[in-house]
Structure formats: C-alpha cells, structure tokens
Amino acid sequence: MRGARGAEGARQWCWRWRRNPLRRRDDVFEAWIVLIVWTVMVLGGIFVGLVTAHAADASFSRLRHDRHAVPAVLVASTGSAVPAGESAVYDHVRAMVRWTAADGTPHVASALVDSGHRAGERVMIWLDTRGRPTTAPPTGSAAATESSLLGVGAAVALGGLVFGAGGLARWRLDQRRYNRWAREWERLGPQWGHKTP
C-alpha cells in the first residue's frame, strides 16, 4: 500500500515531464527551472564551497609561511588586559618594542604583545616579509575551522542566490499564466452570460 502511494506521488511530481493534454509549454519550462535550480544549488554549492575553503586554506598557509616570530624588548610597560565583555578579555595590547633584525640593524616600533609585562622584559613579536610588526598567523586548527566556515558560507550564499533567481523566474511564469487566464476569461466569460467584476 505504501509503495503504491509512493509511485502515485512520483507520478504526480513528474507530471510536467510526461506528455498529457493538460501540460503547457510553461509547465515544461517551470520543470526545467526547478531541475536547474536544484542541480546548481547542490553541485554548484559543493564546488564553490570546496574552492573557497581551499583558497582560504592556501591563504592562511601563506600567512604562516610569510610571518615569523622574533624576540623583542619592551620599551614601556604594557599594563593589564582590557575587558571585552562579561567574561572575555583581550590578552594582547599594543606597545613600543625594540628588536634587532637579522642583518643586525636595531628597530623600534609598536607591536601587539602579551599584556601585563614591564619595560625591559623580553617578549615575542611577529614580523611580515618586510620586517614590519604584524599579527600572529592563525594556527593550523584555527585556519582549518575558518576555511571550513568560509566554504560553507560560500555554498549557502550561492544556494540562496540561485534559489532566489529560480523563485523570480517562477514568479514571472505565474504572472504570465495569470495574464493569459485573464485574457481567456475576457474572451470566454461573456459566452457564459456573465462576467466577474
């Protein structure tokens, strides 16, 4: 009994694809729209998500390769951490530090360091390829998590865009059907002896 009901449901769902006297060209067009929308949402979403995640992961790997940590000395005390809410705190503050580059030249600049240190203490700072202070690159696990989230976000964004475009196309088809029905009613209504207002 359940199998018969499932077969009947499949026949009803696929009625736009079968030849029958009630099927119109717009019905076939709508069936193609639905098929294309779901295909692009699934396959396109997977593809865009994977490409985005791979590109983000490559970008994070490049950051880890390009940035390096060096020891530095605090020029001034950093103070304590700054509260960021009820339970969170920022454990890094910006402070003046000095360090010696690989070629032996001394440098002094502002950099992010751990809070709670006094002037003269040694801290670790991160430098970019030009030797300028920068933020620490994301760890491998943090980069993997963020890459995954970016991939999922890209897939959802594409799915929403395609679904919206498909909905707009189906709405246009419905408007065309309503206009056609109105014209037919204008033509056939008087033959029945009355017209709806």
Side-chain angles (χ1 to χ4, degrees):
M1 189 71 175
R2 185 176 299 174
R5 245 183 283 160
E8 182 65 25
R11 281 197 296 272
Q12 289 176 357
W13 189 81
C14 296
W15 72 270
R16 289 183 177 91
W17 296 103
R18 298 193 324 266
R19 291 189 179 276
N20 65 72
L22 298 178
R23 187 182 70 172
R24 297 155 299 188
R25 191 171 19 169
D26 286 352
D27 297 327
V28 176
F29 191 46
E30 184 176 16
W32 276 108
I33 289 174
V34 171
L35 179 64
I36 291 170
V37 163
W38 281 104
T39 301
V40 172
M41 281 178 63
V42 174
L43 299 181
I46 291 172
F47 176 75
V48 167
L50 290 175
V51 168
T52 302
H54 179 71
D57 190 56
S59 175
F60 294 140
S61 296
R62 196 162 44 251
L63 282 179
R64 287 194 300 273
H65 179 267
D66 291 344
R67 297 179 181 182
H68 61 282
V70 296
V73 177
L74 277 171
V75 175
S77 299
T78 60
S80 59
V82 179
E86 293 182 6
S87 59
V89 294
Y90 292 114
D91 57 353
H92 290 81
V93 293
R94 190 163 288 281
M96 294 299 294
V97 296
R98 68 173 181 271
W99 72 96
T100 303
D103 60 2
T105 58
H107 293 275
V108 177
S110 174
L112 282 176
V113 297
D114 292 335
S115 61
H117 291 287
R118 296 180 180 176
E121 289 188 29
R122 296 178 69 83
V123 293
M124 295 299 293
I125 63 171
W126 287 88
L127 303 178
D128 60 17
T129 53
R130 296 184 179 181
R132 297 175 303 190
T134 186
T135 57
T139 62
S141 59
T145 300
E146 193 166 348
S147 298
S148 300
L149 291 175
L150 288 171
V152 170
V156 170
L158 176 69
L161 183 65
V162 172
F163 187 79
L168 178 62
R170 293 181 70 186
W171 178 81
R172 294 279 297 175
L173 275 179
D174 287 341
Q175 295 303 309
R176 196 162 77 174
R177 287 187 190 115
Y178 297 151
N179 293 336
R180 189 177 299 130
W181 290 339
R183 288 194 301 270
E184 288 294 318
W185 182 250
E186 288 290 332
R187 186 173 63 85
L188 298 175
Q191 298 176 17
W192 294 348
H194 69 278
K195 292 177 69 174
T196 57

